[in-house]
Amino acid sequence: MVTTLRLNDLTVRIDDGELIALLRGTHEYIHQKGSPGWRSSDTEMFPIIGPTAEAGFRVDTPRGSATQDQHGLLREMAYTLTEATDVHAVYEKTYPAGKRIANSKFPAKSSAEHLSWPYDFRFRKTFTLGADGLEVAFEISGEAGMPYMLGYHPAFRLTSDAVTVEANGESIALANVIAVGDRAYQVKDCKEVTLRSGDDGSLRLTTEGFGSFMLWSPVASMICVEPVSFYPYDVAQTELHEGFRSLGDTPARFSVRLEPVES
């Protein structure tokens, strides 16, 4: 079911928790499904970030080894819409420890038929539209001590040849991002980037809680600008657990603000 948020000249469309449109007037910022590059428009990477094939699709936790495919099992679960207004929408996923989740990559791209995690958790995704842009917020609640990583994986539509990402005083060309390939271009210790386009499609991303970004693009017509709590290629796949944070007694909160800006 598609939920639409509107305020002034901004329009947001969300399809069962997936951000499929962000428009200012008639200009679309979000990569559209069916266009070259990627089959989705946004997703979350949780409770792990990164590939696991070389580790036999296993990740170490304090409660033993868990079966996880690339970027975790959350993306294999369906959201439930729990609240909606003209400018606000809340989606949730709830997981009971040990439940086996069918892996959509099996058998074509993975030998892991089912995925599982040895902890209960609830994952909440909230969209709030304001006069200057859209905030996407995340709340993770569950058992204290649960290890986790979180990455947000939105894809943006590009309509100009003159595209750069401005981060930490550096201007990163799209060609450099594409050249890195599936490992994704790392932007360390960064809370804000601007996707700068020669047309009216420039967008500022401001984050809380994540700490860094990954940039990924397989084609010149789109780019993923991904806030992450951990860059997974800093370690071997068998050592992904080194990137875990630990859930405390209160929910962990993260946010990303998407703000259209002048080119």
Side-chain angles (χ1 to χ4, degrees):
M1 181 180 73
V2 175
T3 299
T4 301
L5 312 181
R6 289 192 178 91
L7 182 64
N8 301 330
D9 63 344
L10 294 174
T11 302
V12 168
R13 295 191 184 95
I14 309 152
D15 185 5
D16 291 332
E18 182 177 9
L19 178 63
I20 60 170
L22 170 61
L23 297 105
R24 182 173 64 178
T26 60
H27 184 90
E28 176 63 77
Y29 292 89
I30 301 300
H31 167 70
Q32 298 298 288
K33 294 182 179 183
S35 298
W38 190 41
R39 65 178 181 175
S40 301
S41 56
D42 92 340
T43 193
E44 290 76 54
M45 300 175 281
F46 180 88
I48 64 104
I49 304 170
T52 58
E54 292 179 8
F57 300 101
R58 309 293 289 181
V59 178
D60 289 339
T61 82
R63 291 187 178 171
S65 183
T67 305
Q68 296 286 294
D69 210 319
Q70 180 162 327
H71 298 328
L73 57 67
L74 188 75
R75 59 176 58 192
E76 301 290 0
M77 300 165 57
Y79 273 114
T80 298
L81 177 64
T82 62
E83 181 182 338
T85 69
D86 289 344
V87 295
H88 184 74
V90 180
Y91 294 83
E92 289 187 2
K93 296 181 180 184
T94 302
Y95 178 80
K99 180 180 179 180
R100 299 206 314 163
I101 303 290
N103 184 8
S104 62
K105 295 185 177 182
F106 176 86
K109 296 182 179 180
S110 174
S111 61
E113 184 174 1
H114 294 93
L115 311 176
S116 64
W117 190 242
Y119 298 85
D120 299 320
F121 66 78
R122 184 184 70 182
F123 191 94
R124 178 178 290 174
K125 183 179 186 180
T126 301
F127 297 88
T128 304
L129 187 59
D132 296 327
L134 174 68
E135 181 185 74
V136 186
F138 307 96
E139 181 182 281
I140 303 163
S141 57
E143 303 175 56
M146 182 185 80
Y148 73 93
M149 307 171 201
L150 176 63
Y152 180 43
H153 194 309
F156 301 102
R157 173 175 173 260
L158 303 178
T159 57
S160 169
D161 293 333
V163 175
T164 58
V165 178
E166 297 176 358
N168 289 342
E170 178 185 6
S171 184
I172 304 163
L174 178 62
N176 293 343
V177 176
I178 293 175
V180 173
D182 287 343
R183 288 180 63 89
Y185 191 105
Q186 182 183 19
V187 183
K188 297 180 68 173
D189 302 325
C190 184
K191 294 183 177 180
E192 179 181 311
V193 303
T194 299
L195 177 59
R196 188 71 68 183
S197 178
D199 59 10
D200 60 350
S202 296
L203 196 69
R204 180 182 297 118
L205 285 78
T206 307
T207 70
E208 293 291 338
F210 290 95
S212 296
F213 285 87
M214 300 195 304
L215 310 176
W216 175 70
S217 177
V219 294
S221 59
M222 63 153 279
I223 186 172
C224 293
V225 182
E226 309 166 33
V228 293
S229 65
F230 175 68
Y231 181 71
Y233 300 100
D234 277 340
V235 299
Q237 290 186 23
T238 54
E239 305 299 323
L240 270 182
H241 58 276
E242 293 185 5
F244 279 136
R245 296 184 184 181
S246 182
L247 193 63
D249 293 326
T250 58
R253 294 181 172 87
F254 300 78
S255 66
V256 183
R257 184 164 186 81
L258 310 177
E259 181 183 358
V261 294
E262 296 296 326
S263 296

